[in-house]
Structures are given as C-alpha cells and as structure tokens.
Amino acid sequence: MKTLEDLFLEGLGDMYYAEQQLVKALPKLAKTTTDEDLREAFEAHLEETKGHVKKVEEVFASFDREPKAKKCAAILGIIKEADEILSENKKAPTLNAAIIFAAQKAEHYEIASYGTLREWARLLKHSTAEDLIEQILDEEKAADKKLTSLAELHCNVTAEIGAEDEEEMAMRHSG
C-alpha cells in the first residue's frame, strides 16, 4: 500500500526532474530577452535553480534515499509552450512580455508543487525536508514577484505601445 511518504518522494522526484530541466531552459530565456533587467533576473534565478537541485538532493538524503528524478510531463509541456511563445514573438515588441508569460507558468507550477510538498513534509513531521522546501518555495515566490514587477515596469508597456527600446517608451509616456 502506498504511503504519504511514498507520494512525497514521488512528488519530490517530479520536482527534481523539473528543476534539472529548468537549469537547461533558463539560459535560453536569458539569452533571448532584450530587456537587461529581465536578463539579469533570469541569470540570478538560474543560480537559485541550481541551488534548488542541490536542496532537493538534500531532502532525498534526509530520507536516506538517493535522488531519483521522475519524468515531469508538466514541466516538459511548459518548456515546449515557452519555446513556441518565443518563436511566435521573435523580434516583436511583445517578446519580453511573452517571455515573462511563459516563465511565470513555470514559477506557478513550482509554487503549487512545493507548497504541497512542504505540507506533506510537515504532516510527516520531517522538519529538515520542510525547511529546505520552504527555502525553495520562498525563492520561487520571490522570482514570480520579480517577473511581475518587470512585466509591470517595462515589458508589458513596451508590448502595448510597440516600442522596442526604453527611450522611445519613456518619451511616449512623459508627454
């Protein structure tokens, strides 16, 4: 019979795979964006994501288990959709807003998944796992807030007015 611990470890394996896939996908987003602040945000989150892989490995170790990735169809779908969105908005003033749209889907998937895993760790009375997952969850929420901020400050407005550079955007909104 499957236990909550079994379910937790399967979910953790799913996120282990997802984080590994995001380590591969984030550099493409950073390279594709034309907004310097957004590029820096992706580069910083890439480093956090590499740390998430290590933290998930620590959670497995705290259960005396070897890290085991479980293929995550959801993250593969999100990444595939991100590739399509990038392709459809290449060289368009909507590019950066589209990149944020795609990236926030991944962030929200991670927030939902880690939120559940944290609660399961709490129910299992496994404080090490709970603490490590809480750290990851806090970083995912901060990344999502950063993306929202960049969307509101730069990228959505640029997409709306069709301006490709910040100077043109500033001139249109100052008059």
Side-chain angles (χ1 to χ4, degrees):
M1 187 159 88
K2 193 175 268 197
T3 65
L4 182 60
E5 183 174 314
D6 295 333
L7 186 60
F8 173 85
L9 292 168
E10 284 178 14
L12 189 64
D14 185 81
M15 294 312 298
Y16 187 51
Y17 182 91
E19 296 289 8
Q20 292 171 329
Q21 296 307 304
L22 291 170
V23 166
K24 296 176 191 173
L26 282 167
K28 182 176 183 178
L29 294 178
K31 182 181 175 188
T32 304
T33 183
T34 60
D35 184 276
E36 189 59 34
D37 292 335
L38 186 55
R39 180 182 347 278
E40 289 173 8
F42 282 128
E43 289 169 353
H45 195 55
L46 172 60
E47 293 310 308
E48 286 179 341
T49 303
K50 289 175 182 177
H52 298 167
V53 170
K54 288 181 176 28
K55 284 181 175 135
V56 169
E57 290 170 349
E58 289 179 48
V59 174
F60 273 112
S62 75
F63 280 86
D64 294 321
R65 302 286 178 98
E66 288 295 316
K68 184 177 178 187
K70 180 181 179 205
K71 187 174 182 178
C72 175
I75 206 66
L76 292 175
I78 289 169
I79 292 170
K80 181 179 183 213
E81 186 176 353
D83 287 340
E84 291 169 5
I85 289 168
L86 296 181
S87 176
E88 292 165 1
N89 289 277
K90 194 182 299 183
K91 296 185 181 179
T94 55
L95 176 65
N96 296 317
I99 289 172
I100 291 173
F101 177 62
Q104 283 192 300
K105 289 181 180 194
E107 292 305 323
H108 287 227
Y109 174 75
E110 291 178 293
I111 291 167
S113 297
Y114 283 121
T116 297
L117 290 171
R118 181 199 55 211
E119 291 308 310
W120 288 346
R122 186 175 293 155
L123 280 172
L124 293 168
K125 297 184 180 1
H126 202 295
S127 61
T128 300
E130 183 181 346
D131 292 345
L132 288 165
I133 292 169
E134 183 73 34
Q135 292 170 27
I136 296 170
L137 188 56
D138 288 346
E139 289 177 351
E140 299 296 5
K141 288 177 180 178
D144 182 56
K145 282 184 179 176
K146 177 72 172 179
L147 289 170
T148 296
S149 175
L150 290 171
E152 291 170 348
L153 293 173
H154 305 279
C155 302
N156 291 348
V157 175
T158 302
E160 177 193 10
I161 63 175
E164 292 208 31
D165 65 53
E166 295 289 323
E167 284 181 39
E168 185 178 338
M169 185 176 77
M171 286 181 5
R172 287 189 187 193
H173 280 280
S174 67

